[in-house]
Amino acid sequence: MPTVTFLPSNVKINVDPGETVLRAAMFAGVHINASCGGQGVCGKCRVHVDEGRVEGGRGKFINDDDFTAGFRLACSSQVVGDLVVAIPIESQMDKRVQEATGRRVGAAKLATQLDLATLKAEGKFEPPFEKLFLQLDKPTLDDNVSDLDRLIRALKHTGYDRLSVDYHLLDLLPNAVRDQDFNVTVTVARSRTKQDKVNLFNVEAGDTRNIHLAVCIDIGTTTVSAELLDLNTGDVLAHEAEYNNQVSYGEDVISRIMYSQKSGGLDKLQEKVIGNINSLMDKLLESSGKKRKDISHLSIAANTTMVQLLLGINPQFLRMEPYTPAMTYVPPVRASHLGINVSPQVAAYVSPCRASYVGGDVLVGVMGSGFYREEPITLYIDLGTNGEIVIGNKDFMVCAAASAGPAFEGGGVKYGMRATAGAIEDFSIDPVTFEKMILTIDQGKPKGVCGSGLINIVAALLEDGLIDHSGKFNREAGCPWIREGEDGGEFLLVPAEDADVDRDIVLTEIDVDNLMRAKGAMFAAYMTLLESIGLSITDIKRVIIAGNFGNYINIDKAILIGLLPELKTERFHFIGNGSLLGAKLISYSNQLRTEMMGITQKMTNFELSVHPGFMDYYVAALFFPHTDPKIFPRVYDLLDRTWSEVREARLQKVAS
Amino acid sequence: MPTVTFLPSNVKINVDPGETVLRAAMFAGVHINASCGGQGVCGKCRVHVDEGRVEGGRGKFINDDDFTAGFRLACSSQVVGDLVVAIPIESQMDKRVQEATGRRVGAAKLATQLDLATLKAEGKFEPPFEKLFLQLDKPTLDDNVSDLDRLIRALKHTGYDRLSVDYHLLDLLPNAVRDQDFNVTVTVARSRTKQDKVNLFNVEAGDTRNIHLAVCIDIGTTTVSAELLDLNTGDVLAHEAEYNNQVSYGEDVISRIMYSQKSGGLDKLQEKVIGNINSLMDKLLESSGKKRKDISHLSIAANTTMVQLLLGINPQFLRMEPYTPAMTYVPPVRASHLGINVSPQVAAYVSPCRASYVGGDVLVGVMGSGFYREEPITLYIDLGTNGEIVIGNKDFMVCAAASAGPAFEGGGVKYGMRATAGAIEDFSIDPVTFEKMILTIDQGKPKGVCGSGLINIVAALLEDGLIDHSGKFNREAGCPWIREGEDGGEFLLVPAEDADVDRDIVLTEIDVDNLMRAKGAMFAAYMTLLESIGLSITDIKRVIIAGNFGNYINIDKAILIGLLPELKTERFHFIGNGSLLGAKLISYSNQLRTEMMGITQKMTNFELSVHPGFMDYYVAALFFPHTDPKIFPRVYDLLDRTWSEVREARLQKVAS
């Protein structure tokens, strides 16, 4: 990993080869003026390469002389080896502020995390669906048993002697066995326990073992994500995500449940999410060039409400005390019967749930994180519209949920969007010149703000004293971007002329307030849960953060706004979309399906909504970072210091 | 059972109270002129009650004086007690002929037959679907496990600890448990073996144990029959039958299979038979006043081709050597997925098959007949469009099939019809005066001829020398009803003015030929099968006749035309529609489902179509009764005698 050293601050960071210098600077907490999101059109991010070499970085703003002299555009310069880069004076923020932040992307890889490599190493890469090639005896008048009996006879020779047969297989059978001269490939679903029968559910002519696909899907309240897997290798062949089509019927699970009670509402919501799944599968197949018929199964993880809506089960009682889901274990479901566009015999495994508001998305995420096998007490946080918390270790687990709203996923925010190309994902601002550094995903022309971008923007504005503790813009700072808009106070992020939308991209005070309520709900949830079991923040040895955008969050910034507790950076780990990870692991390993049931049974659920302390914690957390400085001493200390320095620097600037 | 004695022949017969005198006479083989089918409009069947009393019998043809004197119309006189009836002179056939026939309805009840009473006596009345009433604990915040977990917990208390859950149940669950304050009735499907899980597949609010229905269905090539069962008592609540809608796409299984190979053909045939099932269910529910939602399951028996067409499985290979069916065991099928109009969770049990042409209809019939449990060697004949034969006892069973064509079910016959009201079911003719005695089902106005009627008519015409050994009409007999029609020779059964159709009802020589080929195929089948296992007709201790019309066949007449072997009448037994009986027994007894599999496995199938002897037997049987007089010595003897007597009587009549 090449090291990039930024001068004059001498901040170092290790980045992957191919990373841009601008992104490296952002990760390192080094501000470089850049207003176009990194697409190379504003020309502001000019730097000088003092040592080492970069690829590219020329653009129209660097002439031949400048290029020879070592000047480059940071946004289009790719790191290829160790590098020393000097930030020009116009990009340098006040030096005192610069030193004070010194933030890092942090978050080491989680050692316990289960992934394809660990499953293979542990001998657990054994997908629940298996393809077997069989050469059947050809029928004669003396041996004219049925096609199915012939197939079962051959399967028994391979050791499968307790079989159940899916009747959808029968349609395929006569032609499948004869098309390739009685050479067939069958697909069997392994049973979860030895007692249970193995299900024989597909038959194809010839040897088709080389193509064996699965689709894993995470149905989030706001975002639906899917991956196409090669079950022979475990490779992810394609990844797609889109907003949940149900969003227009309510932003959170409660409003969806309410909509489901209207006439035709439940059917409509079911139809919408099935539409998501079909659309995502189309995209996965298109981008991978694979065929629908080769999909052997689906693995779906979702929160309890999303599961009930997917299956068309009345979710009304999830939100009524005592909050009982229809089921925790979901038997295998025939996907085509739900309207999913796959062969009729394809089964969907839907993750089990723990409680009304602690769903399969969390359970499979906990499984994927692997912490449930180890000693250290761990806080698992799934940041989403429905936020969930698990605390525990190999001996115990407790869980709870909090409705955070869609802000973490870019929902309910004026210019919010999913974390796709053009979304502002990182941001910093010179506290004195107010020059902005804006980084978009894939360096696309700015279109909006994704969830992690929202956290980073609010954190940066808070740190630089442009937002106060209560989430209001500091209208006395002299910042030209703070103004009154149609929805009240707003901060101009990108003017229309630089944006990919035809209006100014702004952050409103309402957006900031939505984020405050989201982080407040999450914080209150884990504080209440910790208190319920007699633990405190300091007992937490490890924090695992899951969520659709998890990998983009800057930990220091998340602590700064009070979303994450004030622990050392190295205790934090990201696993990204834990739900999608878990759904994938279920596709990889039949054994994990069994372990999964164990996790479910071990977990104790707390209903925070009826917990007397929760509302107090929530109200106390509606502040940046929190109303109680004792809980965030380092942040209070930092803000006190930087705010006074910034004030002074601004006064000096005005004076000069 | 009252005894009716007919004078002057002094023939006696026991009949059920309420039976008409005309039918009693027909069963006894006593001819009474009657041309209107028994509806009381021709007035020909006038008789005199010498002793005893009848109900009714007056009609417009009996004036007060006649009535006082003891005259009645036989067709509308009901037997209420012992009776002596004198046949008027104009109805009396030549006495010698009358004595010679002396036929009886015969066929004692089969002692081994399984029915509701025997199942109850043997403790086997235990339907595979069981309803259980559960009072669930009400959920609280301390016990807010899911609805399904709560249900399973309660079920475990009742002793069900290995359960699988149908996902269709989940839709119903939240409301069902709450609608009656956590009192629910669940329906479970017992497993076939102890190893297998019990399937939990329906839940209803409150206590619904008192209503628990099943529909059993026989899908014949020509006729589809169905019964609605009360699973609590075993009572048959309604019975319905109709022609198979597939008939217009081919009369026998071979032509259906050929049609299925056309583009869209398989789908069309499947759709047609599903249409039958839905229409029959509508009628069953209508006539019984029951509700569709209370149907807990379906039990379907059918021949192999009908099963594959029902399930939409390509039947092409059934008719291609080496004649392999897609499957012999059919896993439980979700009826609604086939398009059957029942609740989504309702499963259909489809009977297993033995071979391409020995289907579940025969297997369940064999089970129903119970002969497979006893020593005597038995010939089981299922008379249908696809005729099947089983020979065996408790130690062995062999089976074979022969394509008989639809004649036995009134198909492929010019005025053929199903055995419903208005179908001519019995017939006799005075060999000298040619006065006819016609009996219709339910004494309806004649509409056509059902299968058993066809046998009885041809036998009567054969016996009276109006049809010869080769099936041609005797145009020299001077019978006014024999004439040339548009399709060649024909016999006028009912003139248009007496019929319920607007044309003369006739029997054509082509119809007679169809019957000859049908009976020839059946006879050849059991002769070939007997020879294959080294047995002869005389080894047969018992003949069981199954078929949609079985109970109406007159054994002596069936022997006369060479359909049944020349054995003593007491060796013959009818079980009616064996397929429907078996389907019903499966609904009654889970244990029989297991026994059923044993029967299937014990049976050895012979493919007659590739058997060198079959075609010879078939050609030799295309004669009434058969080309070889040694096989039917008594019939040949009878025909020789009656034909010469009839000839003489006709000559006398002409001379007088």
Side-chain angles (χ1 to χ4, degrees):
Chain A
M1 249 189 179
T3 300
V4 184
T5 308
F6 291 101
L7 298 179
S9 59
N10 207 34
V11 171
K12 293 175 194 296
I13 190 161
N14 296 327
V15 294
D16 289 326
E19 193 58 274
T20 66
V21 171
L22 188 67
R23 282 171 63 88
M26 184 65 93
F27 293 155
V30 171
H31 178 91
I32 300 175
N33 293 344
S35 61
C36 70
Q39 8 156 21
V41 297
C42 73
K44 287 185 178 170
C45 63
R46 186 183 168 107
V47 294
H48 185 268
V49 177
D50 285 6
E51 291 174 31
R53 192 177 70 77
V54 296
E55 290 278 344
R58 183 142 186 179
K60 59 177 176 177
F61 298 97
I62 308 288
N63 64 26
D64 287 350
D65 289 349
D66 288 350
F67 193 77
T68 311
F71 288 100
R72 299 287 185 276
L73 284 187
C75 66
S76 56
S77 300
Q78 291 179 341
V79 178
V80 291
D82 288 350
L83 207 62
V84 177
V85 176
I87 309 298
I89 188 72
E90 66 270 23
S91 272
Q92 285 174 30
M93 289 201 287
D94 180 87
K95 197 165 178 299
R96 287 160 301 178
V97 177
Q98 175 69 32
E99 283 173 341
T101 59
R103 51 197 183 214
R104 292 291 177 277
V105 70
K109 174 164 175 353
L110 180 61
T112 58
Q113 184 180 328
L114 296 180
D115 55 20
L116 187 58
T118 54
L119 283 181
K120 284 181 173 175
E122 293 181 16
K124 287 182 182 170
F125 180 64
E126 193 186 50
F129 291 81
E130 183 182 10
K131 278 194 166 187
L132 298 164
F133 176 61
L134 301 171
Q135 293 177 293
L136 306 179
D137 303 325
K138 283 168 205 154
T140 62
L141 276 172
D142 293 328
D143 172 26
N144 63 358
V145 299
S146 73
D147 300 338
L148 181 60
D149 289 332
R150 193 170 302 279
L151 199 65
I152 290 175
R153 193 165 70 189
L155 264 171
K156 285 191 175 172
H157 285 307
T158 70
Y160 285 99
D161 65 346
R162 295 200 66 234
L163 290 162
S164 72
V165 178
D166 191 297
Y167 69 87
H168 281 292
L169 173 96
L170 303 175
D171 298 359
L172 311 170
L173 203 50
N175 289 83
V177 297
R178 287 170 184 84
D179 278 359
Q180 299 269 340
D181 204 25
F182 290 85
N183 292 320
V184 294
T185 303
V186 295
T187 312
V188 298
R190 296 179 212 269
S191 52
R192 198 153 52 78
T193 68
K194 285 235 167 81
Q195 288 177 296
D196 295 340
K197 289 179 174 175
V198 168
N199 185 253
L200 175 60
F201 81 100
N202 196 16
V203 58
E204 297 168 289
D207 186 352
T208 68
R209 282 174 298 179
N210 66 329
I211 180 81
H212 188 26
L213 306 176
V215 175
C216 59
I217 301 162
D218 159 48
I219 305 173
T221 309
T222 302
T223 309
V224 184
S225 313
E227 288 183 343
L228 183 69
L229 308 179
D230 179 335
L231 288 181
N232 286 318
T233 60
D235 292 344
V236 175
L237 303 176
H239 176 102
E240 297 288 345
E242 58 188 36
Y243 272 134
N244 190 323
N245 291 333
Q246 296 171 342
V247 164
S248 45
Y249 301 91
E251 285 186 344
D252 53 26
V253 294
I254 297 298
S255 47
R256 303 272 172 89
I257 292 171
M258 286 167 68
Y259 185 82
S260 77
Q261 298 309 302
K262 296 187 179 176
S263 169
L266 179 56
D267 290 346
K268 174 64 79 181
L269 293 174
Q270 183 181 29
E271 179 194 315
K272 286 290 166 187
V273 72
I274 298 295
N276 276 124
I277 293 175
N278 283 332
S279 143
L280 287 167
M281 283 211 307
D282 290 348
K283 292 180 194 167
L284 290 173
L285 293 170
E286 163 115 28
S287 67
S288 63
K290 299 295 178 189
K291 296 201 182 71
R292 193 177 303 274
K293 71 169 181 59
D294 294 318
I295 297 174
S296 294
H297 91 124
L298 309 183
S299 173
I300 300 175
N303 66 51
T304 311
T305 305
M306 291 302 114
V307 166
Q308 294 202 190
L309 293 177
L310 170 72
L311 300 177
I313 303 170
N314 179 7
Q316 176 185 8
F317 308 105
L318 294 175
R319 63 177 282 260
M320 286 167 63
E321 200 176 318
Y323 315 108
T324 45
M327 72 277 142
T328 46
Y329 169 71
V330 182
V333 176
R334 207 170 287 284
S336 61
H337 297 167
L338 297 177
I340 298 176
N341 186 8
V342 284
S343 307
Q345 70 279 5
V346 170
Y349 284 173
V350 179
S351 58
C353 312
R354 177 58 194 84
S356 276
Y357 298 115
V358 179
D361 50 350
V362 182
L363 296 179
V364 297
V366 166
M367 177 184 76
S369 76
F371 81 81
Y372 66 96
R373 302 156 148 200
E374 297 203 342
E375 192 68 50
I377 291 178
T378 301
L379 168 64
Y380 178 98
I381 305 175
D382 192 328
L383 286 178
T385 306
N386 189 47
E388 294 100 348
I389 312 289
V390 181
I391 299 172
N393 66 359
K394 67 182 176 58
D395 300 317
F396 79 98
M397 278 190 282
V398 294
C399 62
S403 182
F408 295 133
E409 297 174 71
V413 172
K414 184 157 183 156
Y415 285 93
M417 64 179 286
R418 280 203 312 112
T420 56
I424 299 173
E425 62 167 338
D426 214 342
F427 173 89
S428 80
I429 186 166
D430 187 301
V432 179
T433 66
F434 302 115
E435 281 283 356
K436 290 172 281 193
M437 176 180 186
I438 285 174
L439 218 64
T440 58
I441 293 176
D442 294 341
Q443 294 157 41
K445 202 167 180 184
K447 286 181 195 163
V449 180
C450 66
S452 56
L454 179 66
I455 293 172
N456 291 338
I457 293 167
V458 171
L461 295 177
L462 178 70
E463 188 176 358
D464 290 339
L466 296 173
I467 285 180
D468 66 15
H469 285 296
S470 63
K472 301 297 171 208
F473 290 124
N474 178 356
R475 291 168 172 81
E476 275 79 60
C479 174
W481 320 126
I482 294 174
R483 64 192 194 190
E484 296 305 308
E486 54 188 2
D487 298 322
E490 65 182 28
F491 181 92
L492 177 66
L493 289 165
V494 181
E497 62 265 30
D498 295 338
D500 199 25
V501 289
D502 58 5
R503 289 192 291 176
D504 293 348
I505 299 175
V506 298
L507 175 78
T508 68
E509 260 173 358
I510 294 170
D511 298 338
V512 177
D513 198 51
N514 277 335
L515 179 65
M516 187 180 320
R517 283 189 282 114
K519 75 94 193 172
M522 293 308 298
F523 189 82
Y526 52 79
M527 291 302 281
T528 311
L529 192 56
L530 279 168
E531 188 197 68
S532 299
I533 55 170
L535 296 179
S536 72
I537 286 284
T538 50
D539 295 309
I540 300 295
K541 299 290 177 270
R542 193 159 54 190
V543 180
I544 299 172
I545 300 157
N548 238 324
F549 56 90
N551 279 323
Y552 298 99
I553 288 189
N554 182 311
I555 289 168
D556 286 342
K557 289 184 177 176
I559 295 174
L560 201 71
I561 65 165
L563 168 61
L564 296 179
E566 206 179 271
L567 294 170
K568 286 186 182 156
T569 304
E570 56 268 28
R571 294 206 186 168
F572 290 92
H573 306 271
F574 291 119
I575 59 161
N577 184 336
S579 176
L580 191 62
L581 166 68
K584 185 160 57 184
L585 292 172
I586 294 288
S587 284
Y588 285 160
S589 171
N590 196 47
Q591 196 179 324
L592 284 183
R593 278 175 75 210
T594 310
E595 284 191 39
M596 184 71 220
M597 296 307 288
I599 294 171
T600 310
Q601 281 151 17
K602 215 166 85 175
M603 215 176 266
T604 306
N605 179 54
F606 283 77
E607 294 295 342
L608 295 187
S609 55
V610 294
H611 192 287
F614 177 76
M615 196 43 76
D616 295 340
Y617 273 115
Y618 175 60
V619 172
L622 293 180
F623 210 65
F624 288 130
H626 194 275
T627 51
D628 184 356
K630 288 194 294 298
I631 302 179
F632 286 90
R634 278 175 19 224
V635 172
Y636 266 88
D637 194 50
L638 171 76
L639 290 181
D640 284 350
R641 201 147 38 85
T642 53
W643 286 3
S644 70
E645 288 170 348
V646 162
R647 260 195 307 273
E648 196 175 318
R650 285 183 193 140
L651 288 172
Q652 282 178 11
K653 184 186 164 215
V654 173
S656 70
Chain B
M1 246 186 181
T3 300
V4 183
T5 307
F6 292 100
L7 299 177
S9 59
N10 206 34
V11 171
K12 292 173 194 298
I13 189 160
N14 297 327
V15 296
D16 290 326
E19 193 59 273
T20 66
V21 172
L22 188 66
R23 284 171 61 90
M26 184 65 95
F27 293 156
V30 171
H31 177 90
I32 300 175
N33 293 344
S35 60
C36 70
Q39 3 156 25
V41 297
C42 74
K44 288 182 179 172
C45 62
R46 186 183 168 103
V47 294
H48 185 267
V49 178
D50 287 7
E51 294 173 29
R53 192 179 68 81
V54 298
E55 291 276 344
R58 183 143 186 178
K60 58 178 176 176
F61 298 98
I62 308 287
N63 62 30
D64 287 350
D65 291 346
D66 289 350
F67 192 77
T68 310
F71 290 99
R72 299 290 186 274
L73 284 187
C75 66
S76 55
S77 301
Q78 290 178 343
V79 178
V80 289
D82 288 349
L83 209 59
V84 177
V85 175
I87 308 298
I89 188 73
E90 66 270 21
S91 271
Q92 286 174 32
M93 288 201 288
D94 181 87
K95 195 164 179 297
R96 287 159 302 179
V97 177
Q98 174 68 35
E99 285 174 338
T101 57
R103 54 204 180 207
R104 292 288 179 280
V105 70
K109 175 164 175 355
L110 180 62
T112 57
Q113 184 179 328
L114 297 180
D115 55 22
L116 187 58
T118 55
L119 284 181
K120 284 181 173 173
E122 293 181 16
K124 287 183 182 169
F125 180 65
E126 191 186 52
F129 292 81
E130 185 183 8
K131 278 193 166 188
L132 298 164
F133 175 61
L134 301 171
Q135 293 178 292
L136 307 180
D137 302 325
K138 284 168 206 155
T140 62
L141 276 171
D142 292 328
D143 172 26
N144 64 358
V145 300
S146 73
D147 299 338
L148 181 59
D149 289 333
R150 190 170 305 278
L151 199 64
I152 289 176
R153 193 165 70 187
L155 264 171
K156 284 190 179 174
H157 286 307
T158 71
Y160 285 100
D161 64 346
R162 297 201 64 235
L163 290 162
S164 72
V165 178
D166 191 298
Y167 69 87
H168 282 291
L169 172 95
L170 303 175
D171 298 0
L172 311 170
L173 204 48
N175 290 83
V177 297
R178 288 171 183 81
D179 278 358
Q180 299 269 339
D181 203 25
F182 290 86
N183 291 321
V184 294
T185 303
V186 295
T187 312
V188 298
R190 295 178 211 271
S191 53
R192 199 154 50 77
T193 67
K194 287 235 168 80
Q195 287 178 297
D196 295 340
K197 289 179 174 174
V198 168
N199 185 252
L200 176 59
F201 81 100
N202 197 15
V203 60
E204 296 168 289
D207 186 351
T208 68
R209 282 173 299 179
N210 66 329
I211 181 78
H212 187 27
L213 306 176
V215 175
C216 59
I217 301 162
D218 159 48
I219 305 173
T221 309
T222 302
T223 309
V224 184
S225 313
E227 287 182 344
L228 183 68
L229 308 178
D230 178 333
L231 289 181
N232 286 318
T233 60
D235 292 344
V236 176
L237 303 176
H239 175 102
E240 297 288 345
E242 58 186 38
Y243 273 132
N244 188 323
N245 290 334
Q246 295 172 344
V247 165
S248 46
Y249 302 92
E251 286 187 342
D252 54 23
V253 295
I254 297 298
S255 47
R256 304 271 172 89
I257 292 172
M258 285 166 69
Y259 184 82
S260 78
Q261 299 309 300
K262 296 186 179 175
S263 169
L266 179 56
D267 290 346
K268 174 63 79 182
L269 293 174
Q270 183 181 29
E271 178 193 314
K272 286 289 166 188
V273 72
I274 298 295
N276 277 124
I277 293 175
N278 284 332
S279 141
L280 287 168
M281 283 210 308
D282 289 348
K283 292 180 196 168
L284 292 172
L285 293 170
E286 164 113 27
S287 67
S288 63
K290 299 296 177 188
K291 295 202 183 74
R292 195 178 301 276
K293 69 170 184 55
D294 294 320
I295 297 174
S296 294
H297 91 125
L298 308 183
S299 172
I300 300 175
N303 67 51
T304 312
T305 304
M306 291 302 113
V307 166
Q308 295 203 187
L309 292 178
L310 170 72
L311 301 177
I313 302 170
N314 179 7
Q316 175 186 9
F317 307 107
L318 294 175
R319 64 177 283 259
M320 289 167 62
E321 202 178 315
Y323 315 108
T324 45
M327 71 278 143
T328 46
Y329 169 72
V330 182
V333 177
R334 206 171 288 283
S336 61
H337 297 165
L338 298 178
I340 298 176
N341 186 8
V342 283
S343 306
Q345 71 279 4
V346 171
Y349 284 174
V350 179
S351 58
C353 311
R354 176 57 193 84
S356 277
Y357 297 116
V358 179
D361 48 352
V362 182
L363 297 179
V364 296
V366 165
M367 178 184 75
S369 76
F371 81 80
Y372 67 97
R373 303 156 147 201
E374 297 204 341
E375 192 68 51
I377 291 178
T378 301
L379 169 62
Y380 179 99
I381 305 175
D382 191 328
L383 286 177
T385 306
N386 189 48
E388 294 99 348
I389 313 289
V390 181
I391 298 171
N393 66 358
K394 69 182 177 54
D395 300 316
F396 79 97
M397 277 191 281
V398 295
C399 62
S403 181
F408 294 134
E409 295 174 71
V413 172
K414 184 156 183 158
Y415 285 92
M417 64 179 287
R418 279 201 314 112
T420 55
I424 300 173
E425 61 167 339
D426 213 342
F427 174 88
S428 80
I429 184 166
D430 186 302
V432 179
T433 66
F434 303 116
E435 281 284 356
K436 291 170 281 190
M437 175 181 185
I438 285 174
L439 220 64
T440 57
I441 294 177
D442 293 340
Q443 294 156 42
K445 202 167 182 184
K447 285 181 196 164
V449 181
C450 67
S452 57
L454 179 67
I455 292 171
N456 291 338
I457 294 167
V458 171
L461 296 177
L462 178 68
E463 187 177 358
D464 291 338
L466 296 173
I467 284 179
D468 67 14
H469 286 295
S470 62
K472 300 299 171 206
F473 290 124
N474 179 356
R475 290 167 174 81
E476 275 79 58
C479 174
W481 320 128
I482 293 174
R483 65 191 193 190
E484 296 306 306
E486 53 188 3
D487 299 322
E490 66 182 28
F491 180 92
L492 176 65
L493 289 166
V494 181
E497 61 266 28
D498 295 336
D500 200 24
V501 291
D502 58 3
R503 289 191 293 174
D504 293 347
I505 298 176
V506 299
L507 174 78
T508 68
E509 260 172 358
I510 294 169
D511 297 340
V512 178
D513 197 53
N514 277 335
L515 178 65
M516 188 185 310
R517 283 189 280 114
K519 73 95 193 172
M522 292 309 297
F523 190 81
Y526 52 78
M527 291 303 281
T528 311
L529 192 57
L530 280 168
E531 188 197 69
S532 300
I533 56 171
L535 295 179
S536 72
I537 287 284
T538 50
D539 295 311
I540 300 296
K541 299 290 177 267
R542 192 159 53 190
V543 180
I544 298 171
I545 300 157
N548 239 324
F549 56 91
N551 279 324
Y552 297 99
I553 287 188
N554 181 310
I555 289 168
D556 286 341
K557 290 182 177 176
I559 294 173
L560 200 71
I561 65 164
L563 167 61
L564 295 178
E566 207 179 272
L567 293 169
K568 285 186 184 154
T569 305
E570 57 267 28
R571 295 204 184 170
F572 290 91
H573 305 271
F574 292 119
I575 59 162
N577 184 336
S579 176
L580 191 62
L581 167 67
K584 185 161 53 182
L585 292 171
I586 295 289
S587 283
Y588 285 160
S589 171
N590 196 46
Q591 194 178 326
L592 284 183
R593 278 175 74 210
T594 310
E595 285 191 38
M596 183 72 221
M597 298 306 290
I599 295 172
T600 312
Q601 281 151 18
K602 215 166 85 175
M603 215 178 268
T604 306
N605 179 54
F606 283 77
E607 293 296 342
L608 295 186
S609 56
V610 295
H611 191 287
F614 177 76
M615 197 43 77
D616 295 339
Y617 273 114
Y618 176 61
V619 172
L622 293 180
F623 210 66
F624 288 130
H626 194 274
T627 52
D628 184 357
K630 290 194 296 293
I631 301 180
F632 285 89
R634 278 172 21 220
V635 172
Y636 265 88
D637 195 47
L638 171 77
L639 290 182
D640 284 351
R641 204 151 35 89
T642 55
W643 285 4
S644 71
E645 287 170 346
V646 162
R647 257 195 310 273
E648 196 175 318
R650 283 180 196 144
L651 287 173
Q652 283 177 8
K653 184 190 166 208
V654 172
S656 67

